[in-house]
Amino acid sequence: MLTHLAIKDFAVVRAAELDFAAGLTVISGETGAGKSLLVDALGFLSGARADSGVVRHGAERAELVAVFDLSDAPAAAAWLQEQDLDDTDAGATCQLRRTLRADGGSKAWINGRPATIAQVAELAGRLVEIHGQHEHQALMARGSQLALLDAFGRHAPLQAQVQAAARTWAALVRERDALSQRGDPGDRIAFLEHQLQELQRDALEPAAFADLVAAHRRHAHAAGLIEACDAAAARLGGEDGPALGRQLQQMRNDLARQAEHEPRLLEIDAMLDTAAIQLDEAASLLERVRADLDLDPTAFDDLDRKLTRLHDLARKHRIAPEGLAAQRDALVAELESLRGAEDRVRALDGEIESARLAWAKHAATLTKARTQAAKSLASSTTTLIGELGMGGGAFSVSIEPNPAADPDPQGAERIEFLVAANPGQPARALRKVASGGELSRISLAIEVAALGLDAVPTMVFDEVDSGIGGAVADIVGQKLRALGAKRQVLCVTHLPQVAAQGNAHYRVSKAASDGMTQSAVRQLEAKDREEELARMLGGVEVSKEARAAARRLLADVG
C-alpha cells in the first residue's frame, strides 16, 4: 500500500508530504484548491505522459516521490526482483520518483535507480489503480477486467490448468518446428554414416591409442632396443666377464667370514641378498622383453599407416587423437536422433492434437465458470450502480470467443465490461463511458461487488461523488469505507457524507503568498475534521447548525 507521498513545485503546490495508512483516506478542500492534484501526482508516478504545464510557475522542475509497502503487493515485489530493481536495504518497500522539467522533459527512478517510463507504468500497475480520468483507468484495460472477473469467481485453479495445458501444447509445437527446420535428414545421415565408417575401422579409446603409439615407438627403435638388451644379458650372464650374480655371491661369502667381528655386516649381507633376487628378476624380464623384439619392417609399416590414419582423422574432425572415441559416440547419437526424427514428428502430431484437446477441455470448464461469475458480478454491480445514484443503469460482462486459433493461456474467450448508464440506452464498453463521475461510481460499484478481490492493493477514486447528494452520498461513503476494509482506498471528495466515512482526512487549502496562489495540505485531527465537515455542509459561513450536523455525521460513522 501507499505509505508516503511527497510533492515539490507541482502546479500550485510548493511542497507537501503526506503519510497514509490502511483503510479509507479522504481528501477535501475548497473548489480550485487543488484536491485532485494528489491524484494527478500519482498519475504521473504511474507513467502518465510528461506535461510541462504542471511545473509550478518560476520553478525549473516538479519532483514527485511515492513510497509503497510491498507486504500486500507480492506481484510488485516479484516484478522488482525479476527486473533486478528490488532494494534489499529498504526491505519490503519500494520508492517511485519522477521529475517533470519546465522544458517538457522528465526522468524516473525506481528504488533510486534510473528507469524507463514503461517500467514505471508496469510496476505502478501492480501497486495502484486510479479511478477517475480515463487515461488513468486501470479497469479500462480488458486484461484487467478479465483478471478481476477471475478473482471474483476464484478461478485460480482452473486458470492454472488452462495455462499449463497451453504451455504443454506450445512446447510440443516448438519441438516439432525445430525438427521440421532441419529439412530432409537423408543427406546428413549419409554424410554421418560415411564419417562413422572411417571412425569405426580402428579402436579409438584413449588407452588403445596410447598402446598404438607405444608399439609404433618400440618398432621404430627395435634395432637399438635389441642391441641394448643383448648387451645387458651378456653382462648379467657372464659372457663378457664374471657374472654379476657370482660376483655378489662371492662378496657375501667374504663378508660372512668377518661378520662375527662386526654385526652390521649382516645387514649388508641382507641387502646384497635382496639385490641378488632383484638381479635374477631383472634378467628374467630382460629375456621376455628381448623375446618380444623383432626387426619386422612390414609390421612397422602397418603401425605407421594406422597411426597416420588416426592423426589424419583427428585433423579432419579438428580434435586431438585422444578425442576420436568421443567424436564417434557423438556421431552415433546424432544418427540415432536423425533416424528417429521422422517417427518423432509423426508422434508429435498426435501429441500436439492431444494437448490441444486437453486445453480445450480445461478452457471449456473455465468458460463455464466465467459465464456464471459474469452473471453474478453483473447482477451485484447493477444493484450497486442503482444505489450509487444511477437508477436504471445496468452493468454486464460481454464474453466473446477468442479469435486466436491456437490454445491461449488466458482461455478460450475475451471479456469486456459493458455499461448502460441510463434506462433505454444501449450498453457500451466501460472505456467509452463519457462522464468522469459516472465512470468513478461504476468503478466503485465493480470493486465493491468484487469485494476488493482485485490484486492491486491501493485504489484511488477521484470525484466519485460528482453530481450526487443526500442519501446517495451516504451510500457512496459507506461503500468506500467497506472497500477500505479490504484494500487501501484514497478518495477525493466534496461531499461531507463521504468525507465523514474516512479513517483519515486530509484538507487541501489555497492562499496567496508573494503574489502567487499556493496550495497546502494537512491532515486533520478530530476537532479540525469536524470544522471541515461543517464547512462542507454550510459553505463560507459556518453556523452552529452546520457544526452540529458535522458532529452527527462523525458520530453516525462511529
Side-chain angles (χ1 to χ4, degrees), residues 309-322 324:
R309 183 169 64 250
L310 294 185
H311 277 288
D312 289 343
L313 278 174
R315 283 192 297 271
K316 180 178 180 179
H317 291 278
R318 298 181 180 179
I319 56 176
E322 292 80 3
L324 287 171

Side-chain angles (χ1 to χ4, degrees), residues 401-465:
N402 185 350
D406 297 333
D408 189 325
Q410 295 300 317
E413 57 278 325
R414 289 290 177 263
I415 70 118
E416 184 157 20
F417 291 170
L418 304 179
V419 175
N422 298 295
Q425 289 185 347
R428 294 191 301 159
L430 181 62
R431 54 191 165 84
K432 295 182 180 179
V433 173
S435 168
E438 288 181 347
L439 186 57
S440 292
R441 271 178 279 158
I442 293 168
S443 298
L444 173 60
I446 294 170
E447 294 291 359
V448 171
L451 301 175
L453 289 170
D454 199 323
V456 177
T458 299
M459 297 179 183
V460 181
F461 291 91
D462 185 16
E463 300 288 355
V464 69
D465 47 18

Side-chain angles (χ1 to χ4, degrees), residues 79-87 110-111 113-115 119:
W79 184 90
L80 285 166
Q81 191 170 20
E82 290 172 3
Q83 301 290 320
D84 293 327
L85 289 170
D86 51 329
D87 189 348
I110 296 175
N111 286 331
R113 278 166 267 182
Q119 286 178 311

Side-chain angles (χ1 to χ4, degrees), residues 377-396 418-422 430 438-439 441-446 448-449 468 472 475-476 479:
L377 179 62
S379 176
S380 299
T381 304
T382 297
T383 300
L384 286 165
I385 287 174
E387 294 177 5
L388 295 177
M390 297 175 63
F395 173 85
S396 60
L418 304 179
V419 175
N422 298 295
L430 181 62
E438 288 181 347
L439 186 57
R441 271 178 279 158
I442 293 168
S443 298
L444 173 60
I446 294 170
V448 171
I468 63 172
V472 175
I475 295 173
V476 170
K479 299 304 182 185

Side-chain angles (χ1 to χ4, degrees), residues 258-273:
Q258 303 299 324
E260 60 179 318
H261 307 303
E262 176 51 77
R264 287 179 294 178
L265 292 177
L266 295 175
E267 296 180 27
I268 296 173
D269 180 67
M271 294 178 185
L272 292 174
D273 183 44

Side-chain angles (χ1 to χ4, degrees), residues 189-237:
I189 289 175
F191 173 70
L192 293 177
E193 286 177 339
H194 172 71
Q195 287 193 322
L196 192 58
Q197 287 176 357
E198 292 180 330
L199 291 170
Q200 289 176 332
R201 291 177 58 183
D202 301 291
L204 300 178
E205 280 64 27
F209 181 76
D211 290 342
L212 175 62
V213 171
H216 182 270
R217 183 180 296 113
R218 186 166 56 250
H219 278 74
H221 298 85
L225 289 169
I226 290 172
E227 182 179 354
C229 288
D230 288 344
R235 292 192 183 93
L236 286 172

